[in-house]
Amino acid sequence: MDGERERKITVTAIERFSAKDGPGIRTVIFFKGCPLRCAWCHNPETQAAEPELLFDAAACIGCGACVSVCPVGARTEKFPFPDRGKCTGCGRCTEVCPSGASALSGRPMTAEEIVEEACRDEIFYAGGGGLTLSGGEPFFWEATEEVLAKAASKGLSVVAETSGYAPSARLERAAAYVGLFLWDIKDTDGARHWLYTGGELGIVLENLRRVDARGGATLIRCPMAEGINADEKNLCGLAELSLSLKHCFGVQLLACHDGGRTKNRLLGRTDGARREWTPSAQNFESYGRILRGFGARVWEEGSFPPALPAERR
Amino acid sequence: MVFGTTFGGGRPVRLSEETRRFAAESLSGKYGDEAMRTPWVSLDDIAGFEDMEEYDKYDAMIRRIAERAPLRVTACEYVCGAATLGAAMEHVVPAFRGGKPVFTSVSHLTCGFDRAVREGLDEYGRRIGERMRAGAGRDGARQARFLKSLKNTLDSMRIWHGRYAEAVAEKKPEAGEILARVPFGSARTFREALQSLWFCFAFTRLTGNWSGLGRIDEYLGGYLEADLAAGRTTTAEAREQLASFFIKGCEWIRSAPPKGSGDAQHYQNIVLGGLNEQGREVTNEVTYLVLDVVEELGIGDFPIAVRISARSPERLLLRIAEVWRQGGGIVAVYNEDLVLRALTEYGYPRTEALKFANDGCWEVQIPGKTYFSYIPFDALALFQREVLGLGGGGAHFDDFESLYAAFRTRLAERVEALCAQTAAARTENGEGKVWKRGGPMSAVALFEEGCIEKALDYDEGGPVYNMISPHIGGAPDVGNSLYAVDRLCFRDKIISFDGLIKALEADWEGYEAVRLYARNRLSYYGNDGEADGYTARVLDDFADILLSRPRAGVTDGLMFPPGASTFGRQAEWRSGRFATPSGFRKGEILAGNNSPTPGTDFAGATAAIKSYGKAALEKQVTGAALDLKILPSSVSGENGLSALVALMKGFVRAGGFFLQADMADAETLYAAQKNPDAYRTLSVRVSGWNARFVTLDEDWQQMIIERTEK
Ligand code: SF4
Ligand code: SF4
């Protein structure tokens, strides 16, 4: 990778006015690139680190503009579907596509640009809002540290939604800046964790302990997937884990859903969460109760502990 | 309104079972239907009515209404008096001759009922008498007749009051005692004040007029505080009584209302919170009780606007957010400091500006002393016809600035013509100083400061302030059109100017690629981007045109303050419009008020607020509104409330004027399924995941609709 590239981060979406990704109103930056491959991934377009072509056949008007600009011949006159084998994600077709049928997921941004983007909504951050790094895995990128430093210099509160699957030293350094980690523990059963995410639980836990040792505030989050991790064993593990940490606010359960389906379709993929993994409202409620029974502090969806800006801690 | 939707799940229960039942009856249309069975009183037996002078006719009509309108006293009500004649809902005085109305009535004002509550109406009688003795002015006989009409109106009100006092004393002795004192005597307690306010309001309604109520927390708060301190009442009691006021305010809801501009919109707006004349925050127990009542009963008939600022108590903002989340769009907010700046910069003394409420809709005015009307016009149609030359062969421009200059010239001409025509139509010398005679309006003039003093009726210059506000409509789409022309023809050079005119004349037929480029590749007003500057320029220039017209002081003659709105006219304006350079075809519904065009605001509520705040909105003296639709699921949970509070604070800091935030309801979502293009920006938020509603598979959409419904 050349120097220029290294300092940039591939961002797939910027969501302003989110009330669901940390306290207050937050601007959420979705980073591309994730080392895990969760079977239920809701944002499959964030897995690969490089920009990817999204193609919406329903919106295509067959004008052929993409065909004439594609440098690798991934688009042909007769067949507007991109040849995924050939496509390099260069994005040239998306620049000429009038209908938006061809769109690029992922645009390289500097740390500066990311923080600037978050600052646009500064007037709405009264009451604890700010910047949320999400993804993908925000700590997949070296330049994320730059984002944190710049955000701190602007007095922005930063929340990071992380899988904890990233270089330990980077996470440890981040602990000084991040006001709140929304830390995903996909499962507290190591074997299942490996089976459904492709990652080692031990690494996630080790990183979590290190960040905790550095005073990093965390809220553990777990997506409940019926028939996979939605059982007492996991809930007990989550409770124990949260209680074993010094700076952990507690646990927030999320319901696994198959909302990533549309995105998978646009990526030309068919995998993703299965319908039967989504817990019923009744079951989901009972998981919260069980978790409480194990002594954990449970945070309802849509409620968050505070996330103070770096300079105020 | 269907009963089932009125008490939707999740609404708190604070009121008694009885009061809730009363609300259910009223909201289901019981009293509105009843009123339609006695739509008017007949004047047919009055000999020689046709030959009578206008004020003689009017006074006879008001008297007849007072004598003959059916009385209604319900078992649960704490305040008495009812507007029982159905034709009042049609904006006419409900006394008919030969089955036809004689006079229309008045709306778009907020009467000064507060003064009547404080002083008592006997004092009004004394003032009228005094003024009569002082002799009339330029138009002696007519002015003397008008004063007499005020006196007659007051006498008729006394007749109506007498009938009620008798009926109530018999059925409800406690309420009867109160009614024996007010509104003719001054109110001493909260309950008396509430009854007095209601009775005056009900009388203006009975006679066909639609007035707003203004700052009822300011008017009533002191009475309640004193009562609570003295142990004369409790908060719970006061809540029941106030609920009665609101429930009775729904007496014009019908079970099967005729289709039109929406059920039961009779401009009975209420304004809460903000500073009083002494510069102290008004917010008090009554403020919170009003919010309690509308939250619980879901009553949308008294649209509420709260004056908020950096000084607003956190509890107030939180309560607004909670009511917002119940849906229905009942509560809106003014950015108080910006409105005050708008008024004082226009020339109102600060002590007067501090009183601001609205006309019963959201146009700002000083209540109880303002004549108001407005002149809406479609700036987009003007731009399309007179600047682009659509429908007439097409114009040509070589660069953006000459295009814009042509627009500004046409805009100035149109605005000037509107003002000149209005001044000529309404005043005798066309200069806005000496008014032409209007129809009799004594029932509202009685409650408008200035009318007694000047001995002039409501629409002939009687009130202290008189304004007719030109309102620009379609500014966001003019801005978007200008931006699109600039990008398509001059900057990106996608199509030549003449080519674009051809495409627009052809309603984009045969130019699909360019249309889609315009529609999808350009980012328009509402996304906190460069397009906002074009809309802001249009709005600011429009305001400057009006503000730079020569004018005297605010109390001297007719004023033409600027404002920006469409009030739903974007639907009826469709037929006079053409395809837009921003990629819309003829007939599509475009932006309402100062909101982004449907389907173009991708960046969410905060960006829309910032875009809106880029114009110098303090120049829009009578107001400029932003409407936001938010999916309830995106602001669920505890943090959803914090986010809504933060949104209000940001709205204030962004320099907004008036914000109506509403939760998208299931109906909106069904509409989105049918017409995805217009709703393609509706954003669904779940933790760590985002999607556009219209891009979701059908079963996901269904799930979100279900969540919205419950
Ligand atoms: S992204 Fe680049 S390589 Fe892929 S189809 Fe488009 S132009 Fe071709
Ligand atoms: S440029 Fe876009 S609309 Fe045209 S054929 Fe390619 S994908 Fe379809």
Side-chain angles (χ1 to χ4, degrees):
Chain A
M1 263 199 265
D2 58 49
E4 178 61 22
R5 241 348 236 289
E6 227 165 304
R7 287 204 307 275
K8 292 206 174 181
I9 293 171
T10 317
V11 171
T12 171
I14 297 165
E15 274 288 314
R16 293 165 71 171
F17 187 53
S18 168
K20 298 285 177 174
D21 299 276
I25 290 178
R26 311 204 72 92
T27 294
V28 189
I29 312 279
F30 289 90
F31 290 28
K32 266 177 82 67
C34 185
L36 298 184
R37 289 293 176 267
C38 301
W40 51 76
C41 183
H42 303 152
N43 299 319
E45 80 285 10
T46 62
Q47 289 180 348
E50 298 303 318
E52 276 171 286
L53 179 66
L54 300 177
F55 177 69
D56 184 358
C60 174
I61 58 166
C63 70
C66 52
V67 181
S68 51
V69 297
C70 179
V72 296
R75 315 297 288 263
T76 60
E77 210 83 50
K78 284 189 215 104
F79 201 56
F81 278 94
D83 183 336
R84 296 271 171 195
K86 285 187 186 158
C87 172
T88 63
C90 73
R92 246 171 259 177
C93 59
T94 66
E95 280 156 29
V96 297
C97 174
S99 67
S102 287
L104 201 63
S105 166
R107 131 172 110 95
M109 288 178 81
T110 63
E112 182 102 43
E113 287 166 342
I114 288 172
V115 172
E116 249 168 47
E117 193 57 49
C119 284
R120 295 174 76 178
D121 270 354
E122 234 173 342
I123 57 169
F124 297 98
Y125 295 156
L131 166 64
T132 292
L133 310 178
S134 185
E137 170 49 58
F139 298 102
F140 177 88
W141 300 87
E142 214 178 299
T144 297
E145 294 191 53
E146 265 177 66
V147 174
L148 294 177
K150 288 216 159 70
S153 75
K154 299 261 184 199
L156 275 182
S157 142
V158 180
V159 167
E161 298 184 308
T162 179
S163 64
Y165 215 73
S168 308
R170 193 177 291 164
L171 281 164
E172 278 178 288
R173 284 192 297 271
Y177 295 103
V178 174
L180 177 68
F181 289 92
L182 300 176
W183 197 295
D184 270 16
I185 299 290
K186 318 280 187 187
D187 202 334
T188 49
D189 178 304
R192 288 193 313 212
H193 190 279
W194 185 83
L195 193 62
Y196 286 100
T197 72
E200 273 178 54
L201 177 62
I203 293 175
V204 178
L205 295 179
E206 171 62 19
N207 283 340
L208 179 53
R209 292 208 175 88
R210 286 191 188 201
V211 165
D212 189 61
R214 295 286 184 114
T218 51
L219 175 65
I220 290 173
R221 299 219 282 190
C222 182
M224 290 282 101
E226 212 61 77
I228 298 178
N229 65 357
D231 59 15
E232 285 209 10
K233 180 166 178 268
N234 182 26
L235 292 167
C236 179
L238 289 168
E240 276 175 4
L241 178 61
S242 72
L243 294 169
S244 76
L245 299 166
K246 251 185 150 160
H247 303 285
C248 178
F249 280 104
V251 184
Q252 186 169 59
L253 299 179
L254 305 173
C256 171
H257 60 78
D258 62 350
R261 243 188 306 155
T262 322
K263 293 168 177 177
N264 268 316
R265 176 166 56 76
L266 300 179
L267 286 163
R269 287 160 45 168
T270 51
D271 45 354
R274 292 211 209 114
R275 179 64 43 87
E276 61 266 28
W277 292 349
T278 305
S280 67
Q282 215 179 351
N283 280 3
F284 188 71
E285 235 169 76
S286 76
Y287 300 143
R289 269 201 308 278
I290 294 168
L291 195 53
R292 251 180 225 112
F294 287 125
R297 171 146 189 212
V298 178
W299 293 75
E300 300 294 333
E301 209 207 316
S303 66
F304 296 98
L308 297 179
E311 56 178 23
R312 276 163 50 195
R313 275 179 291 140
Chain B
M1 203 175 290
V2 187
F3 174 45
T5 62
T6 307
F7 302 141
R11 290 189 185 272
V13 175
R14 303 184 186 93
L15 294 166
S16 69
E17 191 53 41
E18 270 186 334
T19 298
R20 290 169 62 81
R21 209 173 310 125
F22 183 28
E25 276 175 12
S26 190
L27 288 166
S28 63
K30 178 173 175 194
Y31 304 116
D33 292 350
E34 213 172 276
M36 286 319 288
R37 288 196 284 277
T38 54
W40 35 264
V41 293
S42 170
L43 305 165
D44 292 352
D45 62 328
I46 299 181
F49 184 83
E50 271 75 20
D51 303 326
M52 286 159 71
E53 294 292 332
E54 283 205 329
Y55 276 108
D56 294 334
K57 283 185 187 169
Y58 184 82
D59 292 356
M61 288 162 68
I62 300 296
R63 187 176 179 111
R64 174 120 316 174
I65 290 169
E67 286 169 346
R68 304 226 177 136
L71 301 185
R72 180 168 61 232
V73 182
T74 60
C76 300
E77 66 188 27
Y78 288 94
V79 289
C80 303
T84 50
L85 297 173
M89 294 177 222
E90 258 102 66
H91 211 301
V92 296
V93 181
F96 282 28
R97 176 87 174 173
K100 291 209 177 64
V102 181
F103 292 121
T104 61
S105 52
V106 185
S107 62
H108 286 290
L109 83 166
T110 288
C111 289
F113 300 123
D114 55 319
R115 184 169 178 184
V117 171
R118 266 193 330 268
E119 294 181 355
L121 289 174
D122 284 338
E123 175 62 18
Y124 281 52
R126 197 195 56 73
R127 277 198 288 129
I128 295 167
E130 203 171 83
R131 181 66 188 79
M132 284 168 121
R133 283 188 295 279
R138 67 151 169 136
D139 197 355
R142 177 174 164 95
Q143 286 186 286
R145 182 65 190 86
F146 167 66
L147 288 173
K148 178 132 175 285
S149 175
L150 286 180
K151 188 178 173 300
N152 288 344
T153 302
L154 200 58
D155 289 345
S156 294
M157 192 169 169
R158 202 183 286 278
I159 291 170
W160 189 58
H161 175 257
R163 292 173 65 208
Y164 263 104
E166 201 176 308
V168 173
E170 195 176 300
K171 282 193 192 163
K172 308 164 83 81
E174 199 194 329
E177 261 172 53
I178 287 161
L179 202 56
R181 177 170 179 97
V182 294
F184 286 91
S186 62
R188 297 163 305 183
T189 63
F190 173 71
R191 181 130 180 228
E192 283 179 2
L194 193 69
Q195 173 66 75
S196 185
L197 179 63
W198 173 261
F199 205 80
C200 295
F201 174 63
F203 180 72
T204 55
R205 274 164 48 108
L206 176 74
T207 51
N209 306 289
W210 304 354
S211 171
L213 279 152
R215 312 179 68 186
I216 67 168
D217 55 350
E218 202 215 338
Y219 309 157
L220 301 174
Y223 291 104
L224 181 57
E225 249 156 52
D227 284 4
L228 288 171
R232 277 191 293 267
T233 191
T234 63
T235 310
E237 247 174 47
R239 191 186 293 114
E240 297 287 331
Q241 292 159 5
L242 200 57
S244 220
F245 187 104
F246 275 81
I247 295 164
K248 291 194 57 118
C250 302
E251 67 192 350
W252 282 357
I253 288 179
R254 289 145 73 175
S255 58
K259 291 243 180 311
S261 67
D263 179 25
Q265 280 312 315
H266 301 106
Y267 309 124
Q268 43 201 42
N269 266 43
I270 284 173
V271 174
L272 298 177
L275 300 177
N276 65 10
E277 264 171 276
Q278 288 75 42
R280 276 194 308 274
E281 176 66 38
V282 161
T283 304
N284 58 47
E285 205 50 37
V286 174
T287 319
Y288 294 112
L289 291 180
V290 169
L291 292 172
D292 283 357
V293 169
V294 296
E295 177 184 40
E296 175 166 351
L297 300 179
I299 287 178
D301 267 47
F302 291 95
I304 291 168
V306 188
R307 292 166 49 162
I308 64 167
S309 67
R311 298 172 300 270
S312 296
E314 200 69 18
R315 179 182 165 204
L316 177 64
L317 300 182
L318 196 64
R319 287 296 289 134
I320 298 170
E322 282 168 347
V323 180
W324 270 1
R325 279 217 307 213
Q326 298 289 355
I330 300 164
V331 179
V333 294
Y334 284 111
N335 178 2
E336 175 171 54
D337 288 345
L338 184 117
V339 177
L340 290 175
R341 206 159 76 233
L343 293 171
T344 50
E345 279 172 17
Y346 192 68
Y348 286 96
R350 186 168 164 86
T351 47
E352 286 292 276
L354 280 165
K355 295 177 185 155
F356 85 82
N358 53 38
D359 69 321
C361 190
W362 53 251
E363 301 97 315
V364 164
Q365 62 168 241
I366 312 304
K369 42 167 65 172
T370 303
Y371 168 81
F372 173 84
S373 75
Y374 72 105
I375 326 169
F377 73 97
D378 183 3
L380 180 64
L382 173 120
F383 175 72
Q384 294 179 321
R385 273 176 200 281
E386 297 179 26
V387 182
L388 296 182
L390 297 178
H396 176 83
F397 294 95
D398 289 318
D399 60 88
F400 180 76
E401 283 308 321
S402 51
L403 169 71
Y404 189 80
F407 168 67
R408 199 187 188 285
T409 307
R410 293 286 102 75
L411 181 66
E413 286 167 4
R414 170 69 66 89
V415 167
E416 195 47 50
L418 288 175
C419 294
Q421 282 160 15
T422 309
R426 301 303 308 278
T427 59
E428 284 188 344
N429 55 0
E431 285 171 14
K433 293 266 160 65
V434 182
W435 291 68
K436 283 191 182 158
R437 292 169 168 184
M441 298 177 173
S442 316
V444 298
L446 189 58
F447 298 101
E448 284 286 315
E449 210 175 303
C451 291
I452 298 176
E453 293 80 351
K454 295 190 213 168
L456 288 174
D457 209 340
Y458 174 68
D459 75 338
E460 51 185 24
V464 177
Y465 306 112
N466 295 279
M467 58 173 169
I468 296 180
S469 180
H471 269 219
I472 185 170
D477 287 297
V478 176
N480 287 348
S481 294
L482 285 164
Y483 176 66
V485 175
D486 196 13
R487 286 286 303 269
L488 296 174
C489 306
F490 303 126
R491 285 162 60 187
D492 302 5
K493 297 195 173 24
I494 300 295
I495 186 170
S496 72
F497 189 89
D498 297 342
L500 177 66
I501 296 294
K502 277 206 195 89
L504 297 177
E505 293 272 24
D507 199 19
W508 286 114
E509 210 54 62
Y511 295 84
E512 190 60 2
V514 182
R515 187 186 80 83
L516 287 174
Y517 184 96
R519 186 84 168 78
N520 298 319
R521 307 288 312 225
L522 303 184
S523 164
Y524 293 105
Y525 171 74
N527 293 293
D528 193 14
E530 65 168 349
D532 301 337
Y534 293 70
T535 296
R537 192 174 177 188
V538 171
L539 284 167
D540 292 352
D541 278 350
F542 162 72
D544 286 339
I545 289 164
L546 278 165
L547 294 174
S548 61
R549 291 181 88 249
R551 60 187 171 89
V554 285
T555 54
D556 189 16
L558 180 56
M559 299 182 270
F560 291 101
S565 72
T566 61
F567 295 118
R569 285 192 181 78
Q570 61 270 27
E572 70 191 58
W573 281 345
R574 279 181 294 178
S575 55
R577 291 172 166 180
F578 296 83
T580 71
S582 48
F584 287 88
R585 293 199 181 85
K586 187 177 172 70
E588 292 192 69
I589 294 188
L590 302 178
N593 290 331
N594 254 24
S595 314
T597 309
T600 63
D601 51 332
F602 285 94
T606 53
I609 289 173
K610 282 192 71 193
S611 295
Y612 157 74
K614 284 179 194 171
L617 296 173
E618 68 277 9
K619 291 183 183 177
Q620 309 294 343
V621 181
T622 58
L626 173 68
D627 314 304
L628 287 180
K629 274 250 185 272
I630 299 169
L631 262 185
S633 53
S634 67
V635 287
S636 61
E638 201 185 292
N639 192 51
L641 286 177
S642 312
L644 290 173
V645 168
L647 196 72
M648 286 181 238
K649 291 181 178 174
F651 157 77
V652 167
R653 289 187 60 189
F657 196 111
F658 184 70
L659 172 65
Q660 326 193 71
D662 193 5
M663 297 300 124
D665 50 12
E667 229 166 273
T668 313
L669 299 178
Y670 285 122
Q673 284 185 316
K674 279 201 206 97
N675 183 9
D677 206 40
Y679 293 90
R680 60 185 185 160
T681 56
L682 207 57
S683 178
V684 180
R685 296 282 324 168
V686 178
S687 312
W689 176 71
N690 68 289
R692 306 282 155 200
F693 178 79
V694 298
T695 67
L696 295 170
D697 297 347
E698 210 175 306
D699 46 346
W700 258 88
Q701 291 186 347
Q702 206 47 49
M703 189 188 78
I704 287 165
I705 289 173
E706 276 159 25
R707 266 202 262 163
T708 308
E709 270 172 341
K710 83 172 186 204

